Amino acid sequence: MTDRYDVIIVGSGAGGGTLAHTLAPSGRKILLLERGNFLPREMANWDPGAVFVDGKYISPDTWYDPDGKPFQPQVHYFVGGATKMYGAALYRLRPADFGDIAYSDGLSPAWPVSYADLEPFYTKAEWLYQVHGNHGEDPTEGPASKQYPWPPVSHEPRVQHIADNLAGAGYYPFHSPCGIMLDEDHRPASTCIRCAWCDGYPCLVHAKADAETVAVRPLLNLPNVTLLVDAEVTGLRTDPSGRTVTEVAVSRAGQAETYRADIVVLAAGAANTAKILLRSASEQHPRGLANGSDQVGRNYMFHNSKAVAALAKEPNDTVYQKTLGVNDFYLADPRTGRTPLGNIQMLGKSNAMAMKGEEPALTKLAPRMALEEVAAHSVDFWLTTEDLPQPENRITVDSAGRTHLSYSFTNAKETEGLYEELKTLLNKIGMAAHHVWAKNFYMNMAVPIAGVAHQAGTCRFGSDPSSSVADVNCKAHELDNLYLADASIFPSIGAVNPALTVMANAIRVGDHLAQRLA
Ligand SMILES: Cc1cc2nc3c(=O)[nH]c(=O)nc-3n(C[C@H](O)[C@H](O)[C@H](O)COP(=O)(O)OP(=O)(O)OC[C@H]3O[C@@H](n4cnc5c(N)ncnc54)[C@H](O)[C@@H]3O)c2cc1C
């Protein structure tokens, strides 16, 4: 099948879905190609056994580690991409993240745009994704041109108690920004029932502001937007000059098809966007499309994250626990010369079944009741430290088209430093630090490189074509009509969750494309 569009967008997740939503009002003919299908709405969505033990919503795929050993990456190929499973903690990068930052293992490089450049698009993304929060509470955040569309999600009593104790101990706790469709005044618009199944689960009632519910679904009846599911893009072909993408090769439900558009945008996620480019090598682009700089696939990042459960004497009956964040250690401390350590936020509440999935070896013999007792008292935190872009941390594709991932951690000192700060903080508020343990959560620490939830980098944007893949508008330097609009463009990842930055940048790219097409 051959058909022609104004714009083809590959991938319907945070980047691709948001871009399609931004471009749709232009009336341009848009084709959204998604390798997955709609995630089924079923009771298993909220079943920790199905989600964490059986991995029901992890899409089959096989990647290979540097020793050539196959592994199942934690990928989610659905309409909406990884946002179908995300925790919807929708943070902006801090202004400092857009500049160079020195760490013990090296430099986190600057972005080619500043916080001020991205700020209007952060605001648009926060309004599109219905973010609840309170700009101004967190002293590390940059200026916001507009308040969040919704007030912060209120803390439940146990979390409020922790927040009060933290403030009393001299810390600056703030309400975490959450993208959920909750109206605490219970007006009819509210679909969220404030459950515990948000972080790492699909939302059965479609009340999580993910890319499917918020960005893609509203487009489905528009005459100018076509979504094709089960449509995996396998390669891009160019004209003889090598400057223009002329064809998008697709395997749709096993059938080879070809589509054409004036503009092609890749938003298949950091690993798969790189894979598509590398698989599109040709005579004009022997190292892979847009890869004259040899940067495609390199500088893969995914955060140094740690899920931590703190066991307290008091029971914790919190249902929606993700309302609190602490950024006291996010920025460098010029008084002590300390490098930035990262972000602390609360995680979705532990439960006995999820613990079995997270720690199968440790919990194998534990009776269910004992695990339930532990879960009933645990308070769960998520620590994130920035990892650094390294040329050898990379996605490559072999001659058989298989994906290989090499990755070594950086910033171990900062990661450990943040964990120590958490323990000190817990001690100060009366939660004994020796009852703290790091656990596996959705990053799948058991096979560290398989935890690809926060994958970013691989095709960074920049002004220098010899060290970046795309220019400041996210157009591939070497092509006239190829753009990138997902987490692949990150030159550095910061230490907050990446999705809002992907969405904001996709809106920025969308505005640019609307102008170009006009
Ligand atoms: C469990 C979990 C929890 C998370 N929690 C948070 C959070 O709380 N806050 C936050 O900010 N971030 C969170 N994230 C990360 C966030 O979801 C990602 O950073 C974000 O979705 C990345 O956007 P993207 O557009 O790059 O990729 P994706 O959103 O993954 O979109 C890529 C899309 O491309 C499709 N695709 C891939 N290959 C092809 C192909 N060849 N052809 C066609 N389509 C293709 C995929 O199926 C997918 O739909 C979480 C992720 C996970 C997995």
Side-chain angles (χ1 to χ4, degrees):
M1 184 173 163
T2 304
D3 214 338
R4 189 166 187 94
Y5 293 84
D6 293 317
V7 183
I8 289 178
I9 301 171
V10 180
S12 64
T18 308
L19 174 65
H21 191 278
T22 307
L23 273 179
S26 70
R28 295 288 164 180
K29 204 174 162 200
I30 298 165
L31 175 64
L32 191 52
L33 294 169
E34 169 54 53
R35 78 185 278 172
N37 209 321
F38 287 93
L39 191 146
R41 293 170 80 174
E42 55 197 5
M43 287 316 290
N45 291 172
W46 285 351
D47 175 355
V51 174
F52 282 97
V53 181
D54 304 338
K56 185 170 170 62
Y57 302 109
I58 295 179
S59 307
D61 201 353
T62 306
W63 296 1
Y64 295 82
D65 75 8
D67 298 326
K69 273 201 356 227
F71 67 91
Q72 163 70 57
Q74 199 205 10
V75 287
H76 307 285
Y77 299 146
F78 295 106
V79 176
T83 70
K84 288 309 296 172
M85 305 296 286
Y86 80 164
L90 290 177
Y91 282 79
R92 297 178 178 209
L93 287 171
R94 315 285 107 173
D97 290 320
F98 291 84
D100 288 338
I101 301 180
Y103 283 98
S104 50
D105 281 351
L107 195 73
S108 156
W111 283 47
V113 294
S114 67
Y115 175 82
D117 294 329
L118 206 55
E119 197 288 327
F121 305 103
Y122 271 133
T123 296
K124 285 185 183 175
E126 285 166 353
W127 279 70
L128 175 61
Y129 282 87
Q130 315 230 4
V131 184
H132 295 55
N134 188 13
H135 283 305
E137 269 185 6
D138 169 7
T140 67
E141 72 176 330
S145 54
K146 208 167 166 185
Q147 191 47 272
Y148 288 109
W150 292 94
V153 180
S154 61
H155 296 316
E156 289 175 45
R158 182 77 178 101
V159 178
Q160 184 64 56
H161 185 64
I162 293 171
D164 293 343
N165 285 347
L166 284 171
Y171 294 100
Y172 293 91
F174 58 90
H175 287 87
S176 241
C178 304
I180 54 175
M181 292 177 236
L182 171 71
D183 178 349
E184 294 194 85
D185 294 334
H186 301 297
R187 277 170 288 181
S190 179
T191 46
C192 176
I193 57 166
R194 199 179 175 125
C195 70
W197 321 117
C198 203
D199 202 359
Y201 297 82
C203 181
L204 176 60
V205 295
H206 276 192
K208 181 160 70 177
D210 61 46
E212 179 209 348
T213 55
V214 161
V216 178
R217 268 192 186 267
L219 313 181
L220 293 180
N221 292 325
L222 296 183
N224 63 318
V225 180
T226 305
L227 166 69
L228 293 183
V229 296
D230 289 329
E232 180 182 356
V233 171
T234 52
L236 307 178
R237 299 185 199 115
T238 67
D239 67 358
S241 76
R243 294 278 328 169
T244 306
V245 176
T246 49
E247 290 184 346
V248 177
V250 174
S251 166
R252 185 148 75 104
Q255 295 293 313
E257 296 180 348
T258 305
Y259 294 89
R260 297 161 191 270
D262 293 341
I263 287 175
V264 174
V265 188
L266 293 183
N272 283 305
T273 283
K275 179 179 182 178
I276 292 167
L277 291 173
L278 293 170
R279 286 182 79 184
S280 304
S282 63
E283 207 177 300
Q284 300 89 342
H285 297 273
R287 285 200 283 207
L289 197 58
N291 196 22
S293 61
D294 190 25
Q295 292 300 302
V296 172
R298 294 188 186 272
N299 304 304
Y300 174 94
M301 298 166 276
F302 73 69
H303 276 147
N304 289 340
S305 297
K306 213 190 254 304
V308 177
L311 202 54
K313 276 202 300 290
E314 304 86 343
N316 179 12
D317 57 3
T318 307
V319 175
Y320 185 78
Q321 194 178 238
K322 290 178 62 72
T323 54
L324 179 78
V326 175
N327 269 340
D328 289 55
F329 317 105
Y330 197 92
L331 302 175
D333 185 346
R335 291 165 309 176
T336 61
R338 174 181 62 63
T339 52
L341 302 182
N343 164 267
I344 299 176
Q345 60 188 267
M346 298 198 66
L347 257 180
K349 182 76 194 71
S350 310
N351 60 69
M353 201 42 133
M355 282 177 173
K356 280 202 169 288
E358 292 154 8
E359 301 282 4
L362 210 67
T363 55
K364 195 166 166 207
L365 300 174
R368 176 84 184 255
M369 269 173 61
L371 288 179
E372 273 165 8
E373 188 59 19
V374 170
H377 287 259
S378 80
V379 179
D380 310 271
F381 296 91
W382 180 247
L383 311 188
T384 304
T385 299
E386 174 162 13
D387 64 337
L388 300 174
Q390 303 284 296
E392 294 315 317
N393 285 346
R394 65 188 294 202
I395 294 284
T396 48
V397 177
D398 65 22
S399 55
R402 295 178 303 193
T403 305
H404 295 250
L405 172 60
S406 300
Y407 180 82
S408 319
F409 285 93
T410 54
N411 288 348
K413 183 172 162 224
E414 282 79 5
T415 308
E416 197 47 39
L418 189 59
Y419 189 35
E420 289 306 313
E421 291 290 1
L422 175 76
K423 289 199 274 186
T424 306
L425 166 159
L426 292 174
N427 264 333
K428 283 192 186 164
I429 63 168
M431 291 170 69
H434 59 274
H435 284 147
V436 169
W437 78 96
K439 56 176 194 155
N440 297 321
F441 187 58
Y442 61 64
M443 288 293 181
N444 195 349
M445 300 306 177
V447 187
I449 60 171
V452 300
H454 287 194
Q455 59 181 284
T458 71
C459 297
R460 63 187 181 190
F461 76 141
S463 45
D464 179 358
S466 69
S467 60
S468 58
V469 176
D471 68 12
V472 75
N473 292 319
C474 296
K475 184 185 77 61
H477 290 296
E478 294 165 23
L479 288 112
D480 297 327
N481 68 339
L482 176 65
Y483 286 79
L484 310 174
D486 56 14
S488 69
I489 60 97
F490 282 33
S492 54
I493 192 172
V496 287
N497 320 49
L500 189 77
T501 301
V502 176
M503 294 156 179
N505 187 58
I507 297 174
R508 189 180 71 92
V509 173
D511 274 12
H512 165 79
L513 288 178
Q515 279 172 32
R516 175 175 164 166
L517 288 163

